[in-house]
Amino acid sequence: MNWGIFEGLLSGVNKYSTAFGRIWLSLVFIFRVLVYLVTAERVWSDDHKDFDCNTRQPGCSNVCFDEFFPVSHVRLWALQLILVTCPSLLVVMHVAYREAREKKHREAAGEDGGRLYLNPGKKQGGLWWTYVCSLVFKAGVDAAFLYVFHTFYPKYSLPPVVKCHAAPCPNIVDCFISKPSEKNIFTLFMVVTAAICILLNLVELAYLVNKRCRECLAARKARATGVGRRGDCATSSCKQDDLLLGDLIFLGSDAHPPLLPNRPQDHVKKTML
Protein backbone atom coordinates (compact mmCIF):
# COMPACT_ATOMS: atom_id res chain seq x y z
CA MET A 1 0.00 0.00 0.00
CA ASN A 2 1.32 3.43 -0.99
CA TRP A 3 1.15 5.55 2.15
CA GLY A 4 2.93 8.40 0.36
CA ILE A 5 -0.39 9.41 -1.17
CA PHE A 6 -1.87 9.95 2.28
CA GLU A 7 1.22 11.85 3.38
CA GLY A 8 0.96 14.20 0.40
CA LEU A 9 -2.73 14.86 0.97
CA LEU A 10 -2.51 15.32 4.72
CA SER A 11 0.47 17.65 4.52
CA GLY A 12 -1.97 20.43 3.59
CA VAL A 13 -3.86 19.94 6.84
CA ASN A 14 -1.07 21.73 8.73
CA LYS A 15 -2.27 25.05 7.33
CA TYR A 16 -5.74 24.62 8.82
CA SER A 17 -4.84 22.88 12.10
CA THR A 18 -4.08 24.22 15.53
CA ALA A 19 -0.82 23.48 17.34
CA PHE A 20 -2.40 20.35 18.84
CA GLY A 21 -3.47 19.22 15.37
CA ARG A 22 0.06 19.60 14.03
CA ILE A 23 1.45 17.56 16.92
CA TRP A 24 -1.19 14.89 16.24
CA LEU A 25 -0.28 14.75 12.55
CA SER A 26 3.43 14.44 13.31
CA LEU A 27 2.74 11.70 15.84
CA VAL A 28 0.62 9.76 13.35
CA PHE A 29 3.21 9.82 10.58
CA ILE A 30 6.39 9.43 12.59
CA PHE A 31 5.34 7.04 15.34
CA ARG A 32 2.49 5.16 13.68
CA VAL A 33 2.73 5.10 9.88
CA LEU A 34 6.52 5.01 9.80
CA VAL A 35 6.77 2.32 12.47
CA TYR A 36 4.05 0.36 10.70
CA LEU A 37 5.85 0.47 7.35
CA VAL A 38 9.40 -0.10 8.57
CA THR A 39 9.03 -2.67 11.34
CA ALA A 40 5.51 -3.95 12.01
CA GLU A 41 4.92 -5.47 8.59
CA ARG A 42 8.21 -7.34 8.77
CA VAL A 43 7.64 -8.59 12.30
CA TRP A 44 4.21 -10.04 11.40
CA SER A 45 5.18 -11.27 7.92
CA ASP A 46 6.01 -14.79 9.16
CA ASP A 47 3.28 -15.19 11.79
CA HIS A 48 1.43 -17.95 9.89
CA LYS A 49 4.49 -19.71 8.53
CA ASP A 50 6.18 -20.00 11.93
CA PHE A 51 3.01 -20.89 13.86
CA ASP A 52 3.85 -24.47 14.87
CA CYS A 53 1.64 -26.99 16.65
CA ASN A 54 2.79 -30.28 18.15
CA THR A 55 0.63 -32.40 15.86
CA ARG A 56 0.74 -33.62 12.29
CA GLN A 57 -3.01 -33.68 11.80
CA PRO A 58 -3.73 -31.99 8.43
CA GLY A 59 -5.48 -28.63 8.86
CA CYS A 60 -5.00 -28.45 12.62
CA SER A 61 -2.38 -25.69 12.48
CA ASN A 62 -4.51 -23.57 10.12
CA VAL A 63 -7.61 -23.92 12.28
CA CYS A 64 -5.73 -23.07 15.47
CA PHE A 65 -4.08 -20.07 13.84
CA ASP A 66 -7.45 -18.76 12.65
CA GLU A 67 -8.93 -19.29 16.10
CA PHE A 68 -6.22 -17.36 17.90
CA PHE A 69 -5.60 -14.73 15.15
CA PRO A 70 -9.09 -13.91 13.80
CA VAL A 71 -7.70 -10.67 12.34
CA SER A 72 -4.05 -9.90 11.84
CA HIS A 73 -2.51 -7.04 13.79
CA VAL A 74 -1.10 -5.55 10.59
CA ARG A 75 -4.46 -5.45 8.80
CA LEU A 76 -6.19 -3.97 11.82
CA TRP A 77 -3.58 -1.24 12.08
CA ALA A 78 -3.84 -0.50 8.36
CA LEU A 79 -7.62 -0.13 8.61
CA GLN A 80 -7.25 1.99 11.74
CA LEU A 81 -4.78 4.39 10.11
CA ILE A 82 -6.99 4.78 7.03
CA LEU A 83 -10.08 5.58 9.08
CA VAL A 84 -8.18 7.94 11.37
CA THR A 85 -6.71 10.01 8.53
CA CYS A 86 -9.87 10.27 6.39
CA PRO A 87 -11.56 13.02 8.52
CA SER A 88 -8.52 15.27 8.00
CA LEU A 89 -9.03 14.89 4.25
CA LEU A 90 -12.62 16.07 4.69
CA VAL A 91 -11.33 19.28 6.25
CA VAL A 92 -9.06 19.87 3.25
CA MET A 93 -11.96 19.16 0.87
CA HIS A 94 -14.19 21.62 2.75
CA VAL A 95 -11.56 24.36 2.43
CA ALA A 96 -11.18 23.56 -1.28
CA TYR A 97 -14.96 23.84 -1.68
CA ARG A 98 -14.89 27.27 -0.02
CA GLU A 99 -12.07 28.45 -2.27
CA ALA A 100 -13.88 27.24 -5.39
CA ARG A 101 -17.08 28.96 -4.28
CA GLU A 102 -15.19 32.19 -3.60
CA LYS A 103 -13.60 31.99 -7.06
CA LYS A 104 -16.96 31.54 -8.77
CA HIS A 105 -18.40 34.46 -6.81
CA ARG A 106 -15.58 36.73 -7.91
CA GLU A 107 -15.98 35.68 -11.54
CA ALA A 108 -19.73 36.38 -11.41
CA ALA A 109 -19.76 39.58 -9.33
CA GLY A 110 -16.35 41.02 -10.20
CA GLU A 111 -13.69 42.36 -7.89
CA ASP A 112 -16.05 45.03 -6.52
CA GLY A 113 -18.79 42.55 -5.60
CA GLY A 114 -17.43 41.76 -2.16
CA ARG A 115 -16.23 38.43 -0.80
CA LEU A 116 -18.05 35.42 0.58
CA TYR A 117 -15.17 34.44 2.89
CA LEU A 118 -12.48 36.76 4.21
CA ASN A 119 -10.34 33.69 4.84
CA PRO A 120 -11.61 30.36 3.43
CA GLY A 121 -9.27 28.42 5.71
CA LYS A 122 -10.40 30.06 8.94
CA LYS A 123 -12.37 27.75 11.21
CA GLN A 124 -15.71 29.55 11.26
CA GLY A 125 -19.24 28.49 10.40
CA GLY A 126 -19.50 25.13 8.68
CA LEU A 127 -15.73 24.59 8.59
CA TRP A 128 -15.61 24.83 12.40
CA TRP A 129 -18.23 22.09 12.68
CA THR A 130 -16.41 19.95 10.11
CA TYR A 131 -13.18 20.26 12.07
CA VAL A 132 -14.85 19.50 15.40
CA CYS A 133 -16.67 16.47 13.97
CA SER A 134 -13.38 15.21 12.51
CA LEU A 135 -11.78 15.37 15.96
CA VAL A 136 -14.66 13.44 17.54
CA PHE A 137 -14.55 10.84 14.76
CA LYS A 138 -10.76 10.34 15.02
CA ALA A 139 -10.90 9.92 18.79
CA GLY A 140 -13.84 7.52 18.46
CA VAL A 141 -12.08 5.39 15.83
CA ASP A 142 -8.91 5.04 17.91
CA ALA A 143 -10.94 4.17 21.02
CA ALA A 144 -13.00 1.61 19.10
CA PHE A 145 -9.90 -0.10 17.73
CA LEU A 146 -8.30 -0.20 21.16
CA TYR A 147 -11.41 -1.98 22.39
CA VAL A 148 -11.30 -4.42 19.45
CA PHE A 149 -7.64 -5.19 20.11
CA HIS A 150 -8.35 -5.79 23.78
CA THR A 151 -11.26 -8.09 22.85
CA PHE A 152 -9.18 -10.19 20.46
CA TYR A 153 -5.97 -10.11 22.48
CA PRO A 154 -6.59 -9.59 26.23
CA LYS A 155 -4.18 -7.15 27.87
CA TYR A 156 -2.74 -6.49 24.37
CA SER A 157 -0.26 -9.33 24.82
CA LEU A 158 0.52 -12.58 23.03
CA PRO A 159 1.46 -15.67 25.04
CA PRO A 160 4.35 -17.78 23.72
CA VAL A 161 2.22 -20.96 23.86
CA VAL A 162 -1.51 -21.36 23.21
CA LYS A 163 -3.64 -24.46 23.67
CA CYS A 164 -6.02 -25.39 20.89
CA HIS A 165 -8.73 -28.05 20.82
CA ALA A 166 -10.65 -27.11 17.68
CA ALA A 167 -11.57 -29.71 15.07
CA PRO A 168 -9.88 -31.44 13.25
CA CYS A 169 -7.24 -31.52 15.99
CA PRO A 170 -7.37 -34.97 17.65
CA ASN A 171 -6.92 -33.55 21.16
CA ILE A 172 -5.68 -30.48 22.97
CA VAL A 173 -2.51 -29.42 21.21
CA ASP A 174 0.13 -26.82 22.04
CA CYS A 175 0.85 -24.16 19.43
CA PHE A 176 3.85 -21.86 19.50
CA ILE A 177 3.89 -18.25 18.30
CA SER A 178 7.02 -16.89 16.67
CA LYS A 179 8.75 -13.92 18.30
CA PRO A 180 6.06 -13.22 20.92
CA SER A 181 8.20 -10.76 22.93
CA GLU A 182 8.98 -8.61 19.90
CA LYS A 183 5.34 -8.59 18.85
CA ASN A 184 4.25 -7.60 22.34
CA ILE A 185 6.65 -4.66 22.32
CA PHE A 186 5.32 -3.33 19.01
CA THR A 187 1.73 -3.94 20.05
CA LEU A 188 2.24 -1.98 23.26
CA PHE A 189 3.95 0.81 21.33
CA MET A 190 1.04 1.14 18.87
CA VAL A 191 -1.49 1.08 21.73
CA VAL A 192 0.34 3.83 23.63
CA THR A 193 0.63 6.05 20.54
CA ALA A 194 -3.08 5.56 19.80
CA ALA A 195 -3.93 6.57 23.39
CA ILE A 196 -1.76 9.70 23.06
CA CYS A 197 -3.54 10.58 19.80
CA ILE A 198 -6.90 10.26 21.55
CA LEU A 199 -5.67 12.58 24.31
CA LEU A 200 -4.46 15.14 21.75
CA ASN A 201 -7.81 15.04 19.94
CA LEU A 202 -9.71 15.64 23.18
CA VAL A 203 -7.40 18.48 24.21
CA GLU A 204 -7.78 20.14 20.81
CA LEU A 205 -11.55 19.69 20.97
CA ALA A 206 -11.67 21.33 24.41
CA TYR A 207 -9.47 24.17 23.14
CA LEU A 208 -11.73 24.88 20.14
CA VAL A 209 -14.93 24.74 22.17
CA ASN A 210 -13.47 26.99 24.87
CA LYS A 211 -12.26 29.46 22.27
CA ARG A 212 -15.65 29.57 20.56
CA CYS A 213 -17.43 30.10 23.90
CA ARG A 214 -15.13 32.98 24.76
CA GLU A 215 -15.73 34.56 21.35
CA CYS A 216 -19.51 34.25 21.74
CA LEU A 217 -19.40 35.79 25.23
CA ALA A 218 -17.25 38.64 23.97
CA ALA A 219 -19.65 39.30 21.07
CA ARG A 220 -22.67 39.31 23.40
CA LYS A 221 -20.89 41.65 25.79
CA ALA A 222 -20.03 44.00 22.93
CA ARG A 223 -23.65 44.02 21.70
CA ALA A 224 -24.96 44.65 25.21
CA THR A 225 -22.49 47.50 25.67
CA GLY A 226 -23.56 49.02 22.34
CA VAL A 227 -27.27 48.81 23.21
CA GLY A 228 -26.69 50.39 26.62
CA ARG A 229 -24.62 53.15 25.11
CA ARG A 230 -27.29 54.00 22.56
CA GLY A 231 -29.95 54.07 25.30
CA ASP A 232 -27.96 56.37 27.55
CA CYS A 233 -26.73 58.65 24.80
CA ALA A 234 -29.19 61.51 24.17
CA THR A 235 -27.02 64.56 23.64
CA SER A 236 -26.25 66.03 20.25
CA SER A 237 -22.53 65.47 20.68
CA CYS A 238 -23.13 61.75 21.31
CA LYS A 239 -25.34 61.53 18.24
CA GLN A 240 -22.65 63.25 16.25
CA ASP A 241 -20.09 60.71 17.50
CA ASP A 242 -22.39 57.84 16.53
CA LEU A 243 -22.68 59.20 13.01
CA LEU A 244 -18.95 59.56 12.72
CA LEU A 245 -18.38 56.09 14.16
CA GLY A 246 -20.93 54.69 11.74
CA ASP A 247 -18.70 55.76 8.86
CA LEU A 248 -15.79 53.86 10.41
CA ILE A 249 -17.73 50.61 10.16
CA PHE A 250 -17.08 50.61 6.45
CA LEU A 251 -13.34 50.32 7.08
CA GLY A 252 -13.78 46.68 8.06
CA SER A 253 -16.33 45.76 5.39
CA ASP A 254 -16.12 45.03 1.68
CA ALA A 255 -18.71 47.61 0.65
CA HIS A 256 -17.66 51.13 -0.27
CA PRO A 257 -18.68 53.94 2.14
CA PRO A 258 -21.25 56.45 0.87
CA LEU A 259 -19.99 59.64 -0.68
CA LEU A 260 -19.99 62.55 1.74
CA PRO A 261 -19.83 66.29 0.96
CA ASN A 262 -16.60 68.20 1.25
CA ARG A 263 -17.51 69.39 4.76
CA PRO A 264 -18.67 66.35 6.80
CA GLN A 265 -19.42 68.40 9.94
CA ASP A 266 -22.02 70.54 8.13
CA HIS A 267 -23.55 67.34 6.75
CA VAL A 268 -23.78 65.92 10.26
CA LYS A 269 -25.51 69.05 11.57
CA LYS A 270 -28.07 68.98 8.76
CA THR A 271 -28.74 65.32 9.41
CA MET A 272 -29.30 65.94 13.12
CA LEU A 273 -31.76 68.72 12.33
Side-chain angles (χ1 to χ4, degrees):
M1 186 173 183
N2 189 6
W3 291 96
I5 298 176
F6 287 92
E7 183 178 3
L9 291 174
L10 291 177
S11 59
V13 182
N14 278 328
K15 297 185 297 183
Y16 317 119
S17 300
T18 63
F20 300 105
R22 295 186 182 97
I23 296 174
W24 177 88
L25 191 62
S26 302
L27 185 66
V28 167
F29 276 108
I30 297 176
F31 294 100
R32 296 180 72 175
V33 175
L34 205 60
V35 170
Y36 172 84
L37 293 175
V38 175
T39 58
E41 283 188 327
R42 297 181 181 179
V43 172
W44 269 269
S45 61
D46 57 350
D47 53 352
H48 192 190
K49 181 179 63 176
D50 295 338
F51 187 80
D52 296 328
C53 298
N54 58 355
T55 181
R56 295 192 178 185
Q57 178 68 27
C60 181
S61 297
N62 292 334
V63 171
C64 292
F65 181 83
D66 183 69
E67 181 180 359
F68 190 75
F69 291 98
V71 182
S72 174
H73 285 66
V74 175
R75 291 172 179 82
L76 273 178
W77 283 329
L79 182 61
Q80 180 181 6
L81 291 174
I82 291 174
L83 292 179
V84 162
T85 53
C86 281
S88 299
L89 300 180
L90 292 179
V91 175
V92 177
M93 293 171 61
H94 195 158
V95 175
Y97 165 76
R98 279 187 163 192
E99 293 175 348
R101 189 181 176 190
E102 180 67 29
K103 183 178 179 181
K104 290 182 180 179
H105 175 74
R106 287 187 179 182
E107 292 176 353
E111 295 295 335
D112 298 333
R115 300 182 62 181
L116 295 177
Y117 308 101
L118 295 178
N119 184 5
K122 191 173 183 180
K123 291 181 284 296
Q124 290 182 346
L127 183 60
W128 187 86
W129 285 106
T130 301
Y131 197 90
V132 168
C133 291
S134 70
L135 293 177
V136 175
F137 184 81
K138 289 187 291 188
V141 167
D142 277 333
F145 272 89
L146 289 180
Y147 175 77
V148 170
F149 269 105
H150 187 270
T151 302
F152 288 160
Y153 311 103
K155 298 182 180 179
Y156 305 107
S157 62
L158 301 176
V161 182
V162 294
K163 296 186 179 295
C164 177
H165 54 84
C169 298
N171 48 25
I172 298 177
V173 297
D174 295 331
C175 297
F176 305 92
I177 302 174
S178 65
K179 298 180 286 189
S181 300
E182 187 177 11
K183 292 180 179 178
N184 287 332
I185 292 174
F186 281 106
T187 301
L188 182 62
F189 179 83
M190 297 297 281
V191 168
V192 170
T193 53
I196 296 175
C197 287
I198 295 175
L199 180 62
L200 287 174
N201 287 327
L202 296 179
V203 171
E204 187 176 10
L205 180 62
Y207 167 76
L208 290 176
V209 173
N210 183 41
K211 183 179 179 181
R212 176 53 58 91
C213 292
R214 286 189 284 107
E215 290 176 352
C216 292
L217 291 176
R220 289 183 180 180
K221 185 177 180 181
R223 286 197 297 267
T225 304
V227 171
R229 185 177 182 277
R230 286 195 297 269
D232 297 336
C233 197
T235 62
S236 60
S237 61
C238 194
K239 293 181 179 179
Q240 181 176 344
D241 292 339
D242 287 341
L243 290 173
L244 293 176
L245 288 174
D247 295 335
L248 296 178
I249 297 175
F250 292 97
L251 295 177
S253 63
D254 297 323
H256 295 285
L259 296 177
L260 295 177
N262 294 329
R263 300 184 66 185
Q265 299 297 334
D266 295 341
H267 177 71
V268 170
K269 293 179 181 179
K270 293 179 181 180
T271 305
M272 292 171 60
L273 295 175

